[in-house]
Amino acid sequence: MRSATLAALATAPASGAVGIVRLSGPAALEVGRLLAPGVPPAPTPRHAYLASFVDASGAMLDEGLFLFFRAPHSFTGEDVVELQAHGSPRLLRMLLARALEHPEVRHAGPGEFTRRAFLNGRMELSRAEAVADLVAADSEAAVRAAASALSGSLSARVRALEEPLRSLHADLEGVLNFPEEAEGADDGFEARVSALRVEADALLAEAGRGRLVRRGARVVLYGPVNAGKSTLFNRLVGESRALVDEEPGTTRDVLEARVEWEGLGVTLLDTAGLRSAPGRLEALGIARTREVLSAVELAVLVLPPRCGEEEAQAWLQEAGETPVLRVAGKCDVGRGDTGSTRDSDTLTPSLSQGERGDGHGSGGFLSVSGLTGEGVELLRSSILQRLWGGGAPSALTLVSERHADSLRRCSEALSRAELASRLSTLEAVSGELSLALEALGEVSGTSVSEALLDAIFQRFCIGK
Ligand SMILES: Nc1nc2c(ncn2[C@@H]2O[C@H](COP(=O)(O)OP(=O)(O)OP(=O)(O)O)[C@@H](O)[C@H]2O)c(=O)[nH]1
Ligand SMILES: [Mg+2]
């Protein structure tokens, strides 16, 4: 029996200029010609035919383009027909329903076209996934990273690791199983294992940044009540999102705003200020602040003008494992260059001295004023610097969570192999290498299970 022919809308189910019905499989041409009978029985592949689309009784529904791609020269590697009609959701559903009446046609599941492309060897797995990433990308950096993976740069990097790993594994297995014939194949294997481990770690490091690109970074502002967090938040977001008031404990809920800085998506969070004797409602807000603090990429600690070093250290502890960027807030206070004198009584002389000049306080941290905007640009670039470490987003190749996980397992197996190469048997080393290979194969597609494929393609939209 021939494999099923897939049908789906390739465009979003909303009104638009153009809507596309996509068919892929052995019956694609036959079904396509049912909908567009004016097209010749053997159309020229990759040629755009102007065609009338008709219903079952032959009445014309629309006029549009008919494209035929002959296997294996198509996206999926099968015969593919695309009908480009006007983008009326109702019309497109009628055309699709008609195609689905054919006994060999069924509706495509999420990502099923791309899955066939992968199974037919038209596309490597990491590139197939890049398609999904590209569709889901919501910042410029995410688009660029997905495009880079799509162009195969990830596959190339993975292959550059996989090939020497495979041959080292083969050499060791040779020595273990055929000691006579393979004599000497394990010479210098310790150095080969180490080199592979270094390379795997480098890939893994990039994976962390790839994840940042794909999901964007979460950055929280936290600190004592009334430090000026919400004022600074509004400055960074560029609009007045959070309520600001001189009364301590103004912010209760966690506020979120999404910005895009130099192409990187950043979700900024403003939180309830922390203090020891809050009201009941405020205490709930403080609990949320603590939750958020543990779940972000970077925390910005905003401290008020009068804040001793001991107290500051206690605030730093609050963030736990999360990296902290410390800023001295309200740096305009007491300098007489704004109208606000509200906090001038809280100014300590020691802090005001260090705040002059380069925007860095005496402790080497940034001085900012949400009120005047002073130091805010510097803060923004410092946040980006901390998140990126200075690299260019577009140079990233690794974009998916799954890749990062596979690479982590590969790198861990190689670390164990490295250890075993010094302390244990050749057999143990070879065993770890085989685990490393398996993990890498999940990225390159050489060792993927059905279940993994299901998981991967579930992320896709239907029609892709
Ligand atoms: N002079 C000066 N005053 C500021 C600055 N930032 C905030 N303020 C004032 O300080 C008070 C508290 O500001 P908020 O931004 O609400 O402070 P917060 O840290 O969000 O306070 P909570 O939400 O209560 O924890 C308000 O009266 C602001 O106008 C600043 O940079 N300079
Ligand atoms: Mg606030």
Side-chain angles (χ1 to χ4, degrees):
M1 216 197 93
R2 300 202 292 186
S3 65
T5 293
L6 303 177
L9 300 185
T11 43
S15 301
V18 178
I20 298 176
V21 177
R22 182 183 266 172
L23 303 161
S24 176
L29 182 57
E30 183 188 333
V31 177
R33 288 192 63 251
L34 271 177
L35 300 174
V39 170
T44 310
R46 300 164 188 242
H47 178 85
Y49 289 88
L50 182 63
S52 295
F53 304 140
V54 301
D55 69 10
S57 70
M60 182 171 131
L61 297 172
D62 192 15
E63 195 171 62
L65 293 183
F66 179 105
L67 295 160
F68 172 56
F69 302 86
R70 200 199 316 278
H73 305 293
S74 72
F75 176 65
T76 58
E78 305 175 319
D79 276 358
V80 167
V81 166
E82 275 190 20
L83 305 177
Q84 304 194 352
H86 290 106
S88 144
R90 194 68 197 85
L91 163 74
L92 292 165
R93 273 207 304 277
M94 287 162 74
L95 293 174
L96 183 62
R98 177 100 203 280
L100 290 169
E101 281 167 13
H102 190 282
E104 279 185 58
V105 176
R106 69 170 172 79
H107 200 280
E112 209 173 354
F113 290 104
T114 315
R115 184 178 186 145
R116 286 203 175 172
F118 165 68
L119 292 174
N120 290 326
R122 297 291 294 167
M123 195 182 257
E124 287 174 76
L125 191 60
S126 57
R127 296 185 59 189
E129 290 183 271
V131 173
D133 286 331
L134 187 56
V135 172
D138 71 344
S139 70
E140 183 181 332
V143 168
R144 290 188 188 284
S148 154
L150 190 60
S151 73
S153 60
L154 171 62
S155 315
R157 290 284 300 274
V158 168
R159 243 187 335 246
L161 181 61
E162 198 176 18
E163 278 160 19
L165 179 56
R166 194 180 302 287
S167 73
L168 176 58
H169 184 238
D171 285 348
L172 297 194
E173 284 297 302
V175 171
L176 288 167
N177 296 308
F178 312 100
E180 318 249 292
E181 289 86 340
E183 205 197 314
D186 59 340
D187 286 351
F189 77 91
E190 297 93 338
R192 288 167 76 189
V193 170
S194 295
L196 289 169
R197 201 266 307 148
V198 168
E199 178 58 25
D201 284 353
L203 266 178
L204 184 60
E206 276 188 57
R209 312 204 326 162
R211 188 164 43 201
L212 204 59
V213 169
R214 216 164 62 81
R215 291 193 316 197
R218 287 158 62 84
V219 176
V220 66
L221 301 181
Y222 84 108
V225 285
N226 235 12
K229 300 178 296 301
S230 298
T231 308
L232 190 56
F233 174 80
N234 289 340
R235 258 296 160 184
L236 287 167
V237 173
E239 56 184 300
S240 187
R241 289 285 296 276
L243 283 177
V244 166
D245 194 82
E246 57 192 280
E247 186 180 313
T250 307
T251 306
R252 269 92 190 264
D253 274 327
V254 176
L255 289 180
E256 265 193 48
R258 174 95 170 171
V259 291
E260 190 173 322
W261 288 343
E262 288 168 32
L264 177 69
V266 175
T267 302
L268 279 176
L269 302 141
D270 181 26
T271 57
L274 303 175
R275 64 170 161 181
S276 47
R280 194 181 63 86
L281 196 61
E282 199 186 343
L284 296 175
I286 291 176
R288 285 201 183 171
T289 301
R290 295 222 160 90
E291 236 167 73
V292 165
L293 264 176
S294 64
V296 295
E297 273 77 30
L298 181 67
V300 176
L301 169 60
V302 185
L303 292 171
R306 182 167 60 191
C307 183
E309 193 50 33
E310 203 173 311
E311 198 185 331
Q313 287 305 321
W315 285 111
L316 288 170
Q317 298 298 321
E318 281 284 349
E321 304 272 283
T322 305
V324 181
L325 188 69
R326 174 176 164 185
V327 305
K330 303 191 183 181
C331 70
D332 60 283
V333 170
R335 217 182 286 159
D337 54 0
T338 73
S340 170
T341 52
R342 217 168 260 145
D343 289 280
S344 53
D345 57 327
T346 63
L347 179 75
T348 55
S350 69
L351 249 177
S352 69
Q353 269 166 19
E355 282 162 3
R356 316 250 181 252
D358 62 356
H360 285 86
S362 49
F365 43 84
L366 286 169
S367 293
V368 298
S369 164
L371 200 68
T372 64
E374 187 182 338
V376 171
E377 261 316 294
L378 201 56
L379 171 60
R380 208 172 66 96
S381 53
S382 304
I383 291 174
L384 279 174
Q385 172 73 24
R386 285 292 286 268
L387 292 171
W388 278 123
S394 52
L396 289 169
T397 50
L398 295 168
V399 286
S400 99
E401 206 72 34
R402 195 182 74 75
H403 294 154
D405 184 57
S406 299
L407 286 170
R408 187 171 309 110
R409 280 182 286 117
C410 171
S411 144
E412 284 166 4
L414 283 173
S415 293
R416 291 192 303 267
E418 197 177 20
L419 198 66
S421 73
R422 281 184 263 122
L423 303 174
S424 186
T425 61
L426 210 53
E427 233 156 351
V429 177
S430 186
E432 295 297 350
L433 292 185
S434 135
L435 290 177
L437 261 179
E438 199 178 300
L440 259 196
E442 289 173 5
V443 180
S444 66
T446 48
S447 61
V448 283
S449 64
E450 270 306 293
L452 181 57
L453 286 182
D454 284 345
I456 291 170
F457 289 103
Q458 272 309 316
R459 295 201 296 127
F460 282 62
C461 31
I462 289 179
K464 200 65 213 113

